[in-house]
Amino acid sequence: FPEEYRGKYKAFTCRHTTLNEDGIHPTGLDYLKELGVTHIQIMPMYDYGSVNEAGEDTEFNWGYDPVNYNVPEGSYATDARHGEVRIREMKEMIQAIHEAGFGVIMDVVYNHTYSLDSWFQRTVPWYFYRVFPDGKISDGSACGNDVASEREMCAKYILESVLYWTEEYHIDGFRFDLVGLIDVQTIKEIRAALDEIDPSIIIYGEGWSMTTTTTKEGTALSTQTNAVNLGNFGMFNDTIRDAIKGSVFKAKEKGYVNGDTGKASTIKNSIQGKVAWSSLPYQQINYSCCHDNLTIWDEINTSNADDSMEDKVKQNLMSAAIVYTSQGVPFILAGEEFLRSKTNDDGTFNSNSYNAPDSVNSLKWDDLSKTDNEKVFEYYKGLIALRKAH
């Protein structure tokens, strides 16, 4: 990729990039085409507050700290000082991804804002936030505040924001961060409105149950336990995730693939789409790892550090086999399919790389030339093809 496009929207407009000048192994969109995935989820690309857009390109953050929900993030543009540039370049990125045959899924964070000094608060103080009776701010998000989605005009804002990105930028799906903090009615209204535009638009999120206080008594939240009320809305399936590799909160705990055969029955049920919170496979987003916590490869290397390289690779392949042969929707972390590791300079594994540099977070295309990594890539590619064929 041209150096000036790395880490930018424009990187996605580069076609036919390869690992080296000899044209060996495609990278970028051509690589994803060869892999066979159908959709690309982009981490938050609306305007967020943790990076100085006009600062150094070395600044980075995952972006789960919204400021302007309906504005593209400027740090991904080649010129952050002129608003039209970020708009044009984001649209060029989406168009290029579409032309390559993929859908674009946008990661959205409507459950909290970067700070309480927000446009919500300046517009109608305290209307858009949840507050306990004693004046303490509800903080189920652990980010300092919870947005009161159950209030009519707040729900209207969220709905119209989703529709704006759909209609103006042609987004094909939305991944809702901490959707368990957003009320059921708002999600149902979003689903109904998107169905009128295009029923194939995908929406899913993190249905974790968190402590929050709503502003209306009896408000149901969009947690896994309420999945039955959400219809065509997917939930990240932590049941299969933790059964595969062990708890994400206990790095050395084993799952089925790395040695705990006691989790076999949970794996069996998960493959059949039978989990406690939903028996509807289309509501189950199956995965072993995502941007949060350790990658599956780092988890295996932590829990089974003394195993041979061959055995650790087999554990990674078994994880992929479970995800791709289970009822539900398969999801993989970019680079998982060639043993992606998030390794710090001191050799330790980074489980929370939200502000880590490229040395930790970037995709290491050179790893594709390693024998074991290529073997894993071919296996994932084969599983995707198998799934598409059946």
Side-chain angles (χ1 to χ4, degrees), residues 4-42:
E4 65 271 22
Y5 288 172
R6 295 175 189 175
K8 306 292 184 184
Y9 299 121
K10 294 286 283 186
F12 283 93
T13 66
C14 300
R15 295 301 305 274
H16 313 308
T17 54
T18 55
L19 193 57
N20 55 39
E21 293 179 357
D22 296 329
I24 297 175
H25 219 304
T27 58
L29 288 177
D30 284 7
Y31 163 80
L32 293 173
K33 196 75 175 175
E34 181 180 344
L35 178 62
V37 296
T38 61
H39 291 72
I40 301 170
Q41 176 187 302
I42 310 290

Side-chain angles (χ1 to χ4, degrees), residues 95 128 216 254 297 381:
Q95 185 178 40
F128 290 92
K216 292 181 180 180
K254 299 178 188 291
W297 184 237
K381 176 181 171 183

Side-chain angles (χ1 to χ4, degrees), residues 306-343:
D306 296 331
D307 285 7
S308 67
M309 181 68 174
E310 181 182 8
D311 283 345
K312 286 188 283 193
V313 167
K314 285 181 178 179
Q315 292 163 40
N316 200 115
L317 298 184
M318 184 183 289
S319 169
I322 292 169
V323 169
Y324 274 99
T325 59
S326 294
Q327 294 291 317
V329 181
F331 171 105
I332 59 170
L333 172 69
E336 172 194 329
E337 73 283 357
F338 57 88
L339 304 182
R340 179 180 177 180
S341 174
K342 296 193 296 184
T343 310

